[in-house]
Amino acid sequence: MTQRRAVALVAGAATLLSTTVLSTIFELYSWALYSFLSIAVVVIVSICARAVRVPVWGQGLAALAGLLLLVTWTFPSGHELFRVLPSASTFRHFDALLTQAGQDVQRLAVPVPERVSLDFLVAVGVGLVAIAVDVLAVGMRHPALAGLPLLALYSVPVAVHPDSVSWLPFVLSAAGYLWLLMTDHIDRVRRWGRRFTGDGRDIDAWEPSPLAAAGRRVGFAALVLAVVVPLLVPGLSTGVLDRIAAYNSGTGTGPGGASQLGTSINPISTLRGSLRLGTPINLFELRTSDPDPGYLRTAVADQITDNGFKPRQPRQAQPLARGLVEPTSGKPSSLKYQRYRAELTGQRLDDRYLPLFANPTTVQAPGGANWRYDADTGVVAADRPATAGRSWSTNYDSFDYKAKDLRGAPALSSGDPAVKADTEVTHIPQITDQVDRLVRGKPTEYDRVRAILDFFSPKNHFKYTLQTKAGTSGSAIVDFLKGRQGYCEQYAAAMTWMTREAGIPSRVVVGYTHGTRLGNGDTWQITSHEAHAWVEVWFPTFGWVPFDPTPSTEVSGSAVFGWAPNPSEPDPASSGGSSADQPGRKSTGSPADAGQHGGPGLNRADGNSGGSPTGWLYWVLGAAVLVALLAIPAARRGVLRGRRSRAEDRVLSVSTATDGDPPDLRVGGGDDARTAAGRRAAHAAWDELVDTMVDLRYDVLPAETPRAMAARLVRDESLPAGPAEAVQRLALAEERARYARTPAAAAGLRDASRQARAGLVERVPRLRRFGALVLPRSVLHRWRHAIVDTVGAIAARITDWQQAAHRLVPRPMRARRGASRTG
């Protein structure tokens, strides 16, 4: 193998090591197979192109063509030529995959499930990075510049990952880059210079270079600093200092009280932005007597800003110990309700707001904090986070509102405090006109609210995504209503804005859905993916009534209210019943969703979400493939050993077959056949001994004769009498097979080979024995030489073809070309 081929292989290995960072954004490992295939094709095609002396730009084009054939074969449209040659349908299929990949990137949360479109994006992207690295490092011989595409590959997961990326992929990527630099440096030294020490003395090939060792130490120190410093410096990561500060302040929630940081919810609801969902974090558990719990409220955002809503200063906050306002006070006596009890236990939730159901009658808050109750919003909050690892309980009333009752609610009065405080809004002509069109002809407050709620439906092109569309109007609400895509915060803030524009008091409520039921009991698990925002609208005598404009199919544990059917679902009234007759609340969760914690932004319809029940099949299949690949060298070694041990039997079979022949037939055939079989048996036994030494990492010197090698082996390794005699027996048989007219007797060679192998195995450590068994070096070396010889033969054959084609060119034309070059 030439050194430039070694650089090419190392460039491919460095690219493969850099792809390990993709493991932080994918749930499964199908991306690894496509990355390996893309890199392998690029490296092999590039090596072959350089073998036939193709220019650098041709090497890039050849690798690009190889990558195209690979993705055509792995992502077919069904209309390819010979299954590998792309057609027009293939490129249309690729365009559709790229379009779908762009949508998946915007919609899916980290870690993303397996998607064909994302696998295609990985295969193409990694392949292009591999081409750039190969061209820069091998073709143009600028390996330092190859760090740019490797950095681009590494920066993609860093940009989209909601948390800090693990240090291990960075170490692997940096090690691959340093490996590439070192290999290219060795190639340059071997081509143009000699290695030397600091005092100028030459160094032999077998002697380590002090300057190279110093460079390795410097590189290793730089790598360690690059990993350690971001962990220690605040702001560069969620690092050690942050965890120490959490420990000292007592806010840690992990084992021992400090190993994991707590999590809280943001009470501000914005009209633009993006949502990044990492691995679900278990925040708290809920145990309730309510068989169909609704939403848990934490904060109320009732003050409008240019970008959304935020909580205003509490107007009626008082110590929680003074008690709560009775929820049934002032409500119609005909309004039905049911009282339930809920007990909650904080896990990694560390918040100053206490998650509670609406309309609480009693609250037993965690101790150790000054909890205050705001009668206007029903929010219980403290001055500092105080829920981590604590328990609290509440009794609450669940009201069964009816559409006909809300439609008959008294008209709003300008003197109502809710009208004065919760109808404030910045009037924007576009929004005012839109709301006027929606509420025109609606006689009651409830009908106007329902018209605005129904506006946020898929038929009006509203779509749930993890980010809003960028706009140029200068107004967040106008941009959202034009782009018509976002998640729960945007939906809730937009509906609240429009409802206030209609003169109806409303506010945004931030909290959690009921999460996922644990088993069939009364316990529910709430994770960070269950954070949610919805709307509450004020109806005189009824109070604050919840409405949820966010598509319910996209929210884990979402509730659909009978008085306010979700715009993304069919209206119950259209299926034969009246919305007034529907149950007050029904959960859209299903047992199939248990344990997935889909949360905002995870489209269940796409399948393959986190915790996929078929995920273990991929692990089992991957483990089986890995074991099979590792077993191939050992299996090959076993087959070869068995074939060599049968060489003695073939000698005996030849002897038996020729002994009964007439002398005239034995002279030309029998003796020659017996002699040839004996030589083959001796060579096989000696080759087995040499391969055993290679596998066990004994020194094998090609210049030694069999007798000298046997003497050195017996002397240096202090072999016992039995194995020593066996080794000498094999060496004598090999010498006779090489130089004598007749070989030694084949009988006993098999036993001698086994005895010599047993003696050599006993002299090495167990770890070396295991390595010789699992990955025999003799097989690996033989395969490597075979590959090198095959590639060299192909390159030589292609060179011959080029020379033959060159000879077809007329001699005068060749002469003119030569003259033009010299001139």
Side-chain angles (χ1 to χ4, degrees):
M1 177 186 298
T2 64
Q3 189 61 25
R4 298 312 298 172
R5 293 175 187 170
V7 175
L9 293 176
V10 172
T15 308
L16 186 63
L17 289 175
S18 298
T19 62
T20 56
V21 73
L22 298 177
S23 63
T24 61
I25 61 175
F26 284 94
E27 287 183 351
L28 301 178
Y29 287 89
S30 59
W31 61 268
L33 174 61
Y34 294 109
S35 299
F36 174 78
L37 291 176
S38 297
I39 296 172
V41 167
V42 169
V43 170
I44 294 174
V45 172
S46 300
I47 290 177
C48 294
R50 278 185 288 273
V52 295
R53 295 177 175 82
V54 174
V56 175
W57 61 267
Q59 299 170 18
L61 291 179
L64 192 62
L67 180 62
L68 176 61
L69 295 180
L70 174 66
V71 295
T72 302
W73 177 60
T74 52
F75 301 94
S77 65
H79 300 281
E80 287 73 26
L81 304 176
F82 307 106
R83 298 187 179 183
V84 293
L85 298 179
S87 62
S89 299
T90 304
F91 290 105
R92 286 194 294 268
H93 177 60
F94 289 168
D95 180 68
L97 287 177
L98 289 176
T99 303
Q100 182 62 40
Q103 297 175 358
D104 290 341
V105 168
Q106 294 181 357
R107 180 174 51 84
L108 297 177
V110 175
V112 297
E114 182 183 4
R115 293 287 189 277
V116 175
S117 58
L118 296 181
D119 289 338
F120 175 77
L121 185 63
V122 168
V124 174
V126 172
L128 293 177
V129 170
I131 294 174
V133 171
D134 186 86
V135 170
L136 291 172
V138 189
M140 301 177 64
R141 299 188 178 181
H142 293 296
L145 294 180
L148 294 177
L150 294 179
L151 180 61
L153 178 62
Y154 183 84
S155 63
V156 172
V158 173
V160 302
H161 204 284
D163 303 319
S164 298
V165 177
S166 173
W167 58 269
L168 182 58
F170 172 77
V171 171
L172 295 176
S173 302
Y177 181 56
L178 294 177
W179 186 16
L180 176 60
L181 294 178
M182 182 178 65
T183 306
D184 180 78
H185 171 71
I186 293 175
D187 174 54
R188 291 175 183 269
V189 170
R190 289 181 176 178
R191 283 173 175 266
W192 307 112
R194 296 176 299 174
R195 300 189 302 161
F196 57 91
T197 63
D199 56 5
R201 180 175 60 84
D202 289 347
I203 298 177
D204 292 332
W206 54 267
E207 189 176 358
S209 171
L211 293 182
R216 286 191 294 269
R217 287 193 292 269
V218 172
F220 178 76
L223 183 60
V224 171
L225 290 177
V227 175
V228 173
V229 170
L231 294 176
L232 295 178
V233 177
L236 293 183
S237 68
T238 57
V240 176
L241 293 183
D242 292 338
R243 297 178 183 271
I244 294 176
Y247 179 80
N248 292 332
S249 63
T251 59
T253 61
S259 65
Q260 294 175 333
L261 299 178
T263 303
S264 60
I265 194 172
N266 185 0
I268 299 177
S269 180
T270 62
L271 278 160
R272 61 162 61 96
S274 61
L275 178 66
R276 294 180 178 177
L277 297 176
T279 303
I281 301 173
N282 292 335
L283 298 181
F284 59 94
E285 280 190 0
L286 163 68
R287 177 171 293 179
T288 176
S289 57
D290 189 348
D292 185 18
Y295 293 155
L296 289 151
R297 306 163 81 253
T298 57
V300 171
D302 50 3
Q303 182 179 1
I304 193 170
T305 67
D306 293 338
N307 194 37
F309 289 81
K310 67 178 183 179
R312 62 162 51 98
Q313 291 296 327
R315 296 189 292 267
Q316 303 181 30
Q318 62 183 14
L320 180 62
R322 294 186 182 179
L324 309 179
V325 175
E326 180 62 34
T328 57
S329 177
K331 287 184 170 56
S333 58
S334 59
L335 181 61
K336 297 181 180 179
Y337 69 93
Q338 184 70 37
R339 182 158 295 178
Y340 298 105
R341 178 172 178 80
E343 298 176 354
L344 303 96
T345 302
Q347 295 167 328
R348 289 192 62 185
L349 176 70
D350 198 16
D351 202 345
R352 59 181 292 261
Y353 294 98
L354 201 63
L356 297 170
F357 287 104
N359 307 307
T361 57
T362 61
V363 175
Q364 289 78 40
N370 183 22
W371 294 98
R372 300 183 68 82
Y373 168 68
D374 184 5
D376 185 55
T377 61
V379 172
V380 176
D383 298 331
R384 61 180 180 84
T387 58
R390 307 291 183 86
S391 298
W392 63 98
S393 61
T394 177
N395 294 320
Y396 63 97
D397 292 341
S398 177
F399 292 97
D400 184 14
Y401 300 103
K402 301 292 185 182
K404 62 179 181 180
D405 297 332
L406 296 175
R407 188 174 283 112
L412 291 169
S413 171
S414 58
D416 194 323
V419 174
K420 294 181 179 181
D422 297 306
T423 56
E424 297 177 356
V425 70
T426 301
H427 297 287
I428 300 175
Q430 298 97 312
I431 309 304
T432 303
D433 294 342
Q434 180 67 57
V435 172
D436 288 343
R437 288 192 297 269
L438 292 174
V439 303
R440 185 179 296 118
K442 307 299 181 185
T444 67
E445 176 189 352
Y446 171 77
D447 292 325
R448 292 192 288 272
V449 174
R450 277 295 305 273
I452 296 174
L453 175 69
D454 295 341
F455 171 69
F456 297 94
S457 66
K459 68 180 181 181
N460 290 326
H461 308 292
F462 278 91
K463 183 175 67 173
Y464 187 97
T465 64
L466 295 182
Q467 61 183 14
T468 55
K469 266 188 179 179
T472 58
S473 68
S475 171
I477 178 66
V478 173
D479 290 341
F480 173 74
L481 294 180
K482 284 185 176 180
R484 302 196 177 189
Q485 68 178 37
Y487 51 101
C488 59
E489 283 191 4
Q490 284 83 46
Y491 277 92
M495 180 179 174
T496 301
W497 193 305
M498 296 178 69
T499 307
R500 288 190 175 191
E501 184 67 46
I504 303 172
S506 58
R507 60 194 187 186
V508 177
V509 183
V510 179
Y512 303 93
T513 68
H514 58 62
T516 305
R517 188 193 298 270
L518 300 179
N520 296 321
D522 56 358
T523 304
W524 305 74
Q525 178 66 63
I526 289 86
T527 73
S528 55
H529 282 191
E530 272 73 64
H532 192 44
W534 62 98
V535 182
E536 285 184 346
V537 180
W538 175 262
F539 288 87
T541 72
F542 288 92
W544 293 101
V545 179
F547 291 80
D548 191 357
T550 306
S552 59
T553 55
E554 306 293 343
V555 180
S556 172
S558 65
V560 178
F561 307 103
W563 62 88
N566 194 277
S568 64
E569 295 192 350
D571 192 336
S574 64
S575 58
S578 172
S579 61
D581 300 329
Q582 299 300 318
R585 184 175 70 248
K586 69 173 183 178
S587 171
T588 61
S590 65
D593 296 333
Q596 294 183 1
H597 305 298
L602 182 58
N603 191 346
R604 299 293 178 80
D606 291 337
N608 290 331
S609 57
S612 172
T614 60
W616 65 272
L617 293 177
Y618 291 96
W619 287 101
V620 173
L621 180 60
V625 172
L626 180 61
V627 171
L629 292 176
L630 292 176
I632 291 176
R636 173 59 181 168
R637 184 72 177 89
V639 171
L640 191 59
R641 185 181 300 116
R643 184 182 301 167
R644 289 167 176 170
S645 67
R646 291 192 293 271
E648 181 179 336
D649 297 335
R650 285 193 290 271
V651 175
L652 298 177
S653 65
V654 171
S655 301
T656 304
T658 58
D659 285 344
D661 292 340
D664 56 340
L665 296 179
R666 257 187 296 155
V667 172
D671 290 341
D672 292 342
R674 186 182 300 114
T675 300
R679 294 186 192 279
R680 286 194 296 269
H683 291 325
W686 181 253
D687 291 342
E688 178 61 27
L689 176 64
V690 173
D691 283 354
T692 301
M693 295 175 62
V694 173
D695 294 339
L696 298 174
R697 300 188 181 183
Y698 286 98
D699 291 334
V700 177
L701 305 179
E704 281 186 325
T705 64
R707 183 178 302 181
M709 183 180 293
R712 177 177 59 83
L713 193 61
V714 172
R715 181 184 66 253
D716 294 346
E717 303 300 332
S718 301
L719 293 178
E725 293 177 0
V727 170
Q728 293 171 349
R729 166 79 170 85
L730 296 176
L732 178 60
E734 175 65 13
E735 285 192 342
R736 289 284 303 272
R738 290 184 184 181
Y739 311 118
R741 292 178 59 87
T742 58
L749 288 179
R750 179 191 302 160
D751 295 336
S753 179
R754 291 175 179 174
Q755 192 172 8
R757 176 181 175 81
L760 294 177
V761 169
E762 291 179 356
R763 311 302 291 178
V764 298
R766 292 184 178 178
L767 183 59
R768 195 180 297 181
R769 299 180 201 173
F770 180 77
L773 178 64
V774 177
L775 292 175
R777 301 179 71 190
S778 60
V779 174
L780 299 180
H781 289 176
R782 192 173 288 109
W783 285 351
R784 185 185 67 181
H785 292 311
I787 293 175
V788 172
D789 293 342
T790 301
V791 174
I794 294 175
R797 181 62 60 85
I798 295 177
T799 302
D800 294 340
W801 290 344
Q802 283 185 328
Q803 293 176 355
H806 183 69
R807 286 194 294 269
L808 296 177
V809 178
R811 184 172 299 176
M813 186 177 297
R814 293 203 301 268
R816 285 196 299 270
R817 287 184 180 178
S820 62
R821 291 195 190 100
T822 57

